[in-house]
PDB file of all heavy atoms in Angstrom:
ATOM      1  N   VAL Q 571     -12.307 -13.676 -18.007  1.00  0.00           N
ATOM      2  CA  VAL Q 571     -12.432 -13.002 -16.716  1.00  0.00           C
ATOM      3  C   VAL Q 571     -12.965 -11.595 -16.936  1.00  0.00           C
ATOM      4  O   VAL Q 571     -12.802 -11.018 -18.020  1.00  0.00           O
ATOM      5  CB  VAL Q 571     -11.076 -12.950 -15.970  1.00  0.00           C
ATOM      6  CG1 VAL Q 571     -10.547 -14.344 -15.683  1.00  0.00           C
ATOM      7  CG2 VAL Q 571     -10.058 -12.137 -16.751  1.00  0.00           C
ATOM      8  N   LYS Q 572     -13.595 -11.070 -15.911  1.00  0.00           N
ATOM      9  CA  LYS Q 572     -14.060  -9.691 -15.932  1.00  0.00           C
ATOM     10  C   LYS Q 572     -13.696  -9.048 -14.606  1.00  0.00           C
ATOM     11  O   LYS Q 572     -14.136  -9.511 -13.552  1.00  0.00           O
ATOM     12  CB  LYS Q 572     -15.577  -9.626 -16.160  1.00  0.00           C
ATOM     13  CG  LYS Q 572     -16.099  -8.189 -16.311  1.00  0.00           C
ATOM     14  CD  LYS Q 572     -17.575  -8.160 -16.675  1.00  0.00           C
ATOM     15  CE  LYS Q 572     -18.038  -6.735 -16.912  1.00  0.00           C
ATOM     16  NZ  LYS Q 572     -19.473  -6.693 -17.282  1.00  0.00           N
ATOM     17  N   ASP Q 573     -12.864  -8.025 -14.664  1.00  0.00           N
ATOM     18  CA  ASP Q 573     -12.335  -7.373 -13.461  1.00  0.00           C
ATOM     19  C   ASP Q 573     -11.648  -8.381 -12.555  1.00  0.00           C
ATOM     20  O   ASP Q 573     -11.770  -8.329 -11.320  1.00  0.00           O
ATOM     21  CB  ASP Q 573     -13.463  -6.650 -12.702  1.00  0.00           C
ATOM     22  CG  ASP Q 573     -14.127  -5.564 -13.536  1.00  0.00           C
ATOM     23  OD1 ASP Q 573     -13.422  -4.939 -14.352  1.00  0.00           O
ATOM     24  OD2 ASP Q 573     -15.348  -5.352 -13.391  1.00  0.00           O
ATOM     25  N   GLY Q 574     -10.961  -9.338 -13.153  1.00  0.00           N
ATOM     26  CA  GLY Q 574     -10.204 -10.334 -12.401  1.00  0.00           C
ATOM     27  C   GLY Q 574     -10.993 -11.561 -11.999  1.00  0.00           C
ATOM     28  O   GLY Q 574     -10.413 -12.581 -11.620  1.00  0.00           O
ATOM     29  N   LYS Q 575     -12.323 -11.508 -12.063  1.00  0.00           N
ATOM     30  CA  LYS Q 575     -13.167 -12.626 -11.627  1.00  0.00           C
ATOM     31  C   LYS Q 575     -13.523 -13.524 -12.814  1.00  0.00           C
ATOM     32  O   LYS Q 575     -13.793 -13.044 -13.916  1.00  0.00           O
ATOM     33  CB  LYS Q 575     -14.438 -12.108 -10.955  1.00  0.00           C
ATOM     34  CG  LYS Q 575     -14.160 -11.382  -9.643  1.00  0.00           C
ATOM     35  CD  LYS Q 575     -15.443 -11.047  -8.913  1.00  0.00           C
ATOM     36  CE  LYS Q 575     -15.152 -10.403  -7.558  1.00  0.00           C
ATOM     37  NZ  LYS Q 575     -16.383 -10.097  -6.813  1.00  0.00           N
ATOM     38  N   TYR Q 576     -13.550 -14.820 -12.526  1.00  0.00           N
ATOM     39  CA  TYR Q 576     -13.853 -15.810 -13.564  1.00  0.00           C
ATOM     40  C   TYR Q 576     -15.289 -15.674 -14.061  1.00  0.00           C
ATOM     41  O   TYR Q 576     -16.229 -15.485 -13.272  1.00  0.00           O
ATOM     42  CB  TYR Q 576     -13.624 -17.216 -12.991  1.00  0.00           C
ATOM     43  CG  TYR Q 576     -14.168 -18.326 -13.852  1.00  0.00           C
ATOM     44  CD1 TYR Q 576     -13.499 -18.749 -14.996  1.00  0.00           C
ATOM     45  CD2 TYR Q 576     -15.369 -18.953 -13.514  1.00  0.00           C
ATOM     46  CE1 TYR Q 576     -14.009 -19.771 -15.785  1.00  0.00           C
ATOM     47  CE2 TYR Q 576     -15.885 -19.969 -14.292  1.00  0.00           C
ATOM     48  CZ  TYR Q 576     -15.205 -20.370 -15.433  1.00  0.00           C
ATOM     49  OH  TYR Q 576     -15.721 -21.375 -16.209  1.00  0.00           O
ATOM     50  N   VAL Q 577     -15.448 -15.768 -15.387  1.00  0.00           N
ATOM     51  CA  VAL Q 577     -16.772 -15.673 -16.008  1.00  0.00           C
ATOM     52  C   VAL Q 577     -17.147 -16.972 -16.710  1.00  0.00           C
ATOM     53  O   VAL Q 577     -18.263 -17.475 -16.563  1.00  0.00           O
ATOM     54  CB  VAL Q 577     -16.825 -14.508 -17.024  1.00  0.00           C
ATOM     55  CG1 VAL Q 577     -18.174 -14.488 -17.754  1.00  0.00           C
ATOM     56  CG2 VAL Q 577     -16.567 -13.177 -16.347  1.00  0.00           C
ATOM     57  N   GLY Q 578     -16.231 -17.555 -17.466  1.00  0.00           N
ATOM     58  CA  GLY Q 578     -16.508 -18.769 -18.227  1.00  0.00           C
ATOM     59  C   GLY Q 578     -15.366 -19.052 -19.170  1.00  0.00           C
ATOM     60  O   GLY Q 578     -14.233 -18.607 -18.960  1.00  0.00           O
ATOM     61  N   PHE Q 579     -15.664 -19.794 -20.225  1.00  0.00           N
ATOM     62  CA  PHE Q 579     -14.660 -20.129 -21.246  1.00  0.00           C
ATOM     63  C   PHE Q 579     -15.210 -19.793 -22.624  1.00  0.00           C
ATOM     64  O   PHE Q 579     -16.438 -19.782 -22.842  1.00  0.00           O
ATOM     65  CB  PHE Q 579     -14.312 -21.622 -21.205  1.00  0.00           C
ATOM     66  CG  PHE Q 579     -13.254 -21.990 -20.210  1.00  0.00           C
ATOM     67  CD1 PHE Q 579     -13.563 -22.158 -18.866  1.00  0.00           C
ATOM     68  CD2 PHE Q 579     -11.940 -22.173 -20.621  1.00  0.00           C
ATOM     69  CE1 PHE Q 579     -12.596 -22.503 -17.947  1.00  0.00           C
ATOM     70  CE2 PHE Q 579     -10.954 -22.529 -19.704  1.00  0.00           C
ATOM     71  CZ  PHE Q 579     -11.283 -22.699 -18.364  1.00  0.00           C
ATOM     72  N   ILE Q 580     -14.311 -19.538 -23.535  1.00  0.00           N
ATOM     73  CA  ILE Q 580     -14.653 -19.474 -24.957  1.00  0.00           C
ATOM     74  C   ILE Q 580     -13.924 -20.618 -25.637  1.00  0.00           C
ATOM     75  O   ILE Q 580     -12.711 -20.779 -25.477  1.00  0.00           O
ATOM     76  CB  ILE Q 580     -14.232 -18.131 -25.598  1.00  0.00           C
ATOM     77  CG1 ILE Q 580     -15.044 -16.982 -25.013  1.00  0.00           C
ATOM     78  CG2 ILE Q 580     -14.424 -18.187 -27.115  1.00  0.00           C
ATOM     79  CD1 ILE Q 580     -14.695 -15.620 -25.593  1.00  0.00           C
ATOM     80  N   SER Q 581     -14.685 -21.423 -26.381  1.00  0.00           N
ATOM     81  CA  SER Q 581     -14.074 -22.530 -27.114  1.00  0.00           C
ATOM     82  C   SER Q 581     -13.902 -22.140 -28.573  1.00  0.00           C
ATOM     83  O   SER Q 581     -14.748 -21.434 -29.145  1.00  0.00           O
ATOM     84  CB  SER Q 581     -14.941 -23.791 -27.001  1.00  0.00           C
ATOM     85  OG  SER Q 581     -16.150 -23.622 -27.697  1.00  0.00           O
ATOM     86  N   LYS Q 582     -12.816 -22.589 -29.157  1.00  0.00           N
ATOM     87  CA  LYS Q 582     -12.535 -22.256 -30.551  1.00  0.00           C
ATOM     88  C   LYS Q 582     -13.616 -22.816 -31.470  1.00  0.00           C
ATOM     89  O   LYS Q 582     -14.020 -22.167 -32.440  1.00  0.00           O
ATOM     90  CB  LYS Q 582     -11.167 -22.809 -30.959  1.00  0.00           C
ATOM     91  CG  LYS Q 582     -10.766 -22.430 -32.385  1.00  0.00           C
ATOM     92  CD  LYS Q 582      -9.498 -23.143 -32.822  1.00  0.00           C
ATOM     93  CE  LYS Q 582      -8.291 -22.617 -32.103  1.00  0.00           C
ATOM     94  NZ  LYS Q 582      -7.027 -23.194 -32.644  1.00  0.00           N
ATOM     95  N   SER Q 583     -14.124 -24.005 -31.162  1.00  0.00           N
ATOM     96  CA  SER Q 583     -15.135 -24.624 -32.027  1.00  0.00           C
ATOM     97  C   SER Q 583     -16.418 -23.794 -32.057  1.00  0.00           C
ATOM     98  O   SER Q 583     -16.993 -23.563 -33.127  1.00  0.00           O
ATOM     99  CB  SER Q 583     -15.440 -26.048 -31.557  1.00  0.00           C
ATOM    100  OG  SER Q 583     -15.868 -26.047 -30.218  1.00  0.00           O
ATOM    101  N   LYS Q 584     -16.850 -23.309 -30.887  1.00  0.00           N
ATOM    102  CA  LYS Q 584     -18.074 -22.502 -30.856  1.00  0.00           C
ATOM    103  C   LYS Q 584     -17.835 -21.151 -31.515  1.00  0.00           C
ATOM    104  O   LYS Q 584     -18.708 -20.631 -32.226  1.00  0.00           O
ATOM    105  CB  LYS Q 584     -18.541 -22.302 -29.416  1.00  0.00           C
ATOM    106  CG  LYS Q 584     -19.857 -21.547 -29.332  1.00  0.00           C
ATOM    107  CD  LYS Q 584     -20.469 -21.585 -27.942  1.00  0.00           C
ATOM    108  CE  LYS Q 584     -21.820 -20.899 -27.940  1.00  0.00           C
ATOM    109  NZ  LYS Q 584     -22.461 -20.951 -26.609  1.00  0.00           N
ATOM    110  N   LEU Q 585     -16.650 -20.573 -31.294  1.00  0.00           N
ATOM    111  CA  LEU Q 585     -16.318 -19.285 -31.897  1.00  0.00           C
ATOM    112  C   LEU Q 585     -16.362 -19.374 -33.419  1.00  0.00           C
ATOM    113  O   LEU Q 585     -16.963 -18.525 -34.089  1.00  0.00           O
ATOM    114  CB  LEU Q 585     -14.928 -18.857 -31.425  1.00  0.00           C
ATOM    115  CG  LEU Q 585     -14.445 -17.471 -31.862  1.00  0.00           C
ATOM    116  CD1 LEU Q 585     -15.313 -16.379 -31.277  1.00  0.00           C
ATOM    117  CD2 LEU Q 585     -12.995 -17.266 -31.452  1.00  0.00           C
ATOM    118  N   LEU Q 586     -15.763 -20.411 -33.976  1.00  0.00           N
ATOM    119  CA  LEU Q 586     -15.750 -20.563 -35.428  1.00  0.00           C
ATOM    120  C   LEU Q 586     -17.128 -20.895 -35.976  1.00  0.00           C
ATOM    121  O   LEU Q 586     -17.484 -20.498 -37.089  1.00  0.00           O
ATOM    122  CB  LEU Q 586     -14.744 -21.649 -35.826  1.00  0.00           C
ATOM    123  CG  LEU Q 586     -13.273 -21.328 -35.529  1.00  0.00           C
ATOM    124  CD1 LEU Q 586     -12.383 -22.508 -35.889  1.00  0.00           C
ATOM    125  CD2 LEU Q 586     -12.834 -20.082 -36.295  1.00  0.00           C
TER     126      LEU Q 586
END
Side-chain angles (χ1 to χ4, degrees):
V571 299
K572 185 174 184 179
D573 299 327
K575 294 188 176 181
Y576 168 78
V577 175
F579 275 81
I580 294 180
S581 68
K582 183 188 289 187
S583 57
K584 184 168 184 178
L585 185 64
L586 294 177

